[in-house]
Amino acid sequence: MDYVSIVNAVIEQHKSSPIDMLGIGDTLGEYKYLKNLQHSYIRTISDIDRHMGTGREDKHCLEIGAFLGIVSISLRKLGYRVSALDIPEFQKSLKLRELYQRNDVDFGAINLRSSKLPFDSNSFDAVVICEVVEHLNFNPLPALLEINRVLKPGGYVYIGMPNQASL
């Protein structure tokens, strides 16, 4: 599987249709940020794909903290059904909502501090949560219990955190 080409194609969408999440006109900065994290996105989707086995079209993945959608959209391009969540402030971006819609990824908002995940129990084969846990300034156990609740028995939780050794 050519994960590099898939991730690159998703990142390039941000060059042709920039989002400008911060509303400061720095779309080139967003693109450079995504290119800088390209290796991390490739590792994430390859790890998930290797562990999920066959039958991608029957597998449902949830990404919490999906931000600009690189992992979610790449997983969708691989054939998985994907739902993505991020903070309510990001949900307000029309361009971001359009990006997810264009790529057939369900996109919603969540405040992990005070909300239950808006899904039935045992709904997902994998839950991806990269570069989120270190931002939680509250007890993460209720959020982790919610992740466990929506995860199917035998499903995978993929947690990624920045590695200071690579600074």
Side-chain angles (χ1 to χ4, degrees):
M1 183 58 55
D2 189 1
Y3 302 116
V4 173
S5 293
I6 292 168
V7 168
N8 279 339
V10 175
I11 290 173
E12 287 305 310
Q13 288 185 49
H14 287 276
K15 194 171 191 178
S16 60
S17 298
I19 303 297
D20 192 20
M21 274 308 295
L22 298 177
I24 60 174
D26 189 20
T27 58
L28 181 59
E30 278 182 1
Y31 175 76
K32 287 179 180 179
Y33 171 81
L34 298 174
K35 289 297 280 183
N36 187 51
L37 290 175
Q38 175 185 7
H39 68 282
S40 176
Y41 300 135
I42 293 165
R43 181 182 61 243
T44 299
I45 66 163
S46 66
D47 286 350
I48 292 165
D49 195 42
R50 274 198 327 272
H51 284 92
M52 294 292 278
T54 60
R56 292 177 181 142
E57 62 281 346
D58 296 326
K59 307 272 174 74
H60 196 177
C61 300
L62 170 63
E63 183 181 15
I64 299 172
F67 191 43
L68 293 170
I70 307 305
V71 170
S72 292
I73 295 168
S74 295
L75 289 171
R76 181 68 191 118
K77 288 187 178 299
L78 284 169
Y80 296 99
R81 288 186 306 128
V82 181
S83 297
L85 294 173
D86 214 310
I87 59 176
E89 292 81 2
F90 291 173
Q91 179 71 23
K92 294 175 185 176
S93 170
L94 176 61
K95 288 183 177 182
L96 188 61
R97 291 193 320 263
E98 288 172 346
L99 173 73
Y100 281 106
Q101 185 177 20
R102 218 175 26 249
N103 287 281
D104 195 28
V105 173
D106 294 326
F107 179 56
I110 188 77
N111 179 336
L112 290 176
R113 177 190 298 267
S114 59
S115 301
K116 300 255 185 226
L117 294 174
F119 304 105
D120 292 336
S121 297
N122 304 316
S123 297
F124 294 96
D125 298 284
V127 176
V128 180
I129 182 166
C130 292
E131 298 191 30
V132 171
V133 174
E134 69 275 12
H135 294 281
L136 302 180
N137 59 359
F138 55 89
N139 180 356
L141 290 179
L144 294 172
L145 288 170
E146 271 299 285
I147 290 169
N148 189 58
R149 180 186 66 78
V150 301
L151 193 65
K152 291 179 180 178
Y156 295 99
V157 176
Y158 188 95
I159 300 174
M161 296 179 70
N163 181 350
Q164 289 184 347
S166 68
L167 288 177

